[in-house]
Amino acid sequence: MALVDRFERVHDYLRISVTDRCNLRCVYCMPAEGMQFLDESEVMTDDEIVGIVKAGAELGIRKLRITGGEPTVRKNLVELVERLAAIPGIEDIALTTNGMTLREQAHALKRAGISRLNLSLDSMKPEAFQAITRHGDYVRVWRGLEAAIEAGFSPIKLNVVLVKGFNETEIVEFIRLTKEWPLIVRFIEYMPIGQDAEQWRARYVPLTQVFEEAKAAGLTLESGDQVRGNGPAEYFRVPGFAGQIGLIHPVSDHFCATCNRLRLTADGKLKPCLYWEDEVSVRDCAHDPEKLKELFYRALKLKPEKHEMARAGELLENGLTPTWRAMSQIGG
C-alpha cells in the first residue's frame, strides 16, 4: 500500500505538530499578544500520536518531522520520540526547533532517535534577534547549536526567514558562516500566513537579493549538492566552503509538483497542504487503524495540485485576507 494522490505524488513524509505553544513570538509566526492557544485537553496525547503514525507507517510513511509551535516545550518529548522511532517502517525522524532549550536537550533527543535538525536562527546580531523573536536570547540559541553539533545531528540546517528591516543586511554574514562550518543555511521567503497585506508587503524580501548580496561581496554561488531530507530548497555553495546555502521560495516559485508530505496538527487534524484550508480530523480514530487508513486517503483526495501561496501576494494586494491558520497552529 502507498499514499499516492490523484496527481501521482507519493507521500512518505509526515510533519507532526506536538504543540501549538511556543516560548518565542517571532514576528512572522505569531502576533505579539492575543494569541489563542489550545487547552491541554485539546492537544493530542502521546498514545494518539503513536497510533496515528503506526497507521501511516503501514501506508508507507517513512519519515517524520517533529514541529510545533516549539516542540521542545512539550512535556516528555524524548519519550514520545523514542516510541515513534520504534514503530516499524519509520526510518528517519527530524526536529524543527528555535533552539532556546536545545543545549539541555540535544544529547537526549539524539539518543531517542532524532537524526536531523532544523534550527531557526534569523539573526546573528543579539538586538536584531531579540526584535525578530520578541525576547529571544541569541547566546542561548547559539549554545544550543554548539550542543547539537557536539551531539552529532547531521545535517543541521539553519532556517533564516528574511524579513525587511530586521535581517536582510546579514545575508553575506550567513553565507560566510558556511565557510568553516558544515551547516546548511536556508534562506526562506517571508510568507503571508496570518499577516495583513500592509505588514507582509512591508517585510517581504525576494530571494534574488541573496545572489545580489553575494555578488557584491565577491562570493560566487555555484549549484550545490542535494541534502538528505525532505525540504524544497534549491542548494548552492561557495567553492571551497564547508557548508551550503539553500533557497526556499514558496511565494515566488512554488514547489508543489514534488510535494511528498502531509501534516498532523497538534489538535489531531491531517492537513494535505500547508497553504490550504482543508483538513481531516483523525484524533477520534487514533486507536482504530483501519479507520485511520481511510482518513489518510481522504486527506489525499483533498490535496490540490498547487497551493495558493504563489498568488497570496496578489490576494493581499487586493484586500483579500486568506483564512489559513497561523503558522504556529499548523506546524509549518
Side-chain angles (χ1 to χ4, degrees), residues 67-114:
T67 71
E70 171 49 41
T72 61
V73 304
R74 182 182 173 111
K75 297 177 182 177
N76 303 319
L77 178 63
V78 170
E79 288 78 4
L80 173 59
V81 171
E82 288 176 339
R83 292 180 65 184
L84 294 174
I87 294 174
I90 297 302
E91 300 170 352
D92 181 75
I93 306 179
L95 176 77
T96 295
T97 177
N98 62 32
M100 287 287 286
T101 64
L102 189 57
R103 184 182 183 186
E104 296 81 10
Q105 300 187 50
H107 287 270
L109 288 167
K110 183 65 168 63
R111 289 193 297 270
I114 300 291

Side-chain angles (χ1 to χ4, degrees), residues 166-198:
F166 287 93
N167 63 356
E168 80 275 21
T169 61
E170 297 183 65
I171 290 173
V172 172
E173 274 189 78
F174 273 110
I175 294 174
R176 286 182 170 147
L177 191 61
T178 68
K179 182 175 183 178
E180 304 294 340
W181 298 59
L183 301 170
I184 314 298
V185 175
R186 307 197 305 173
F187 295 106
I188 304 172
E189 283 183 328
Y190 179 46
M191 293 177 280
I193 293 185
Q195 315 293 336
D196 60 39
E198 183 177 351

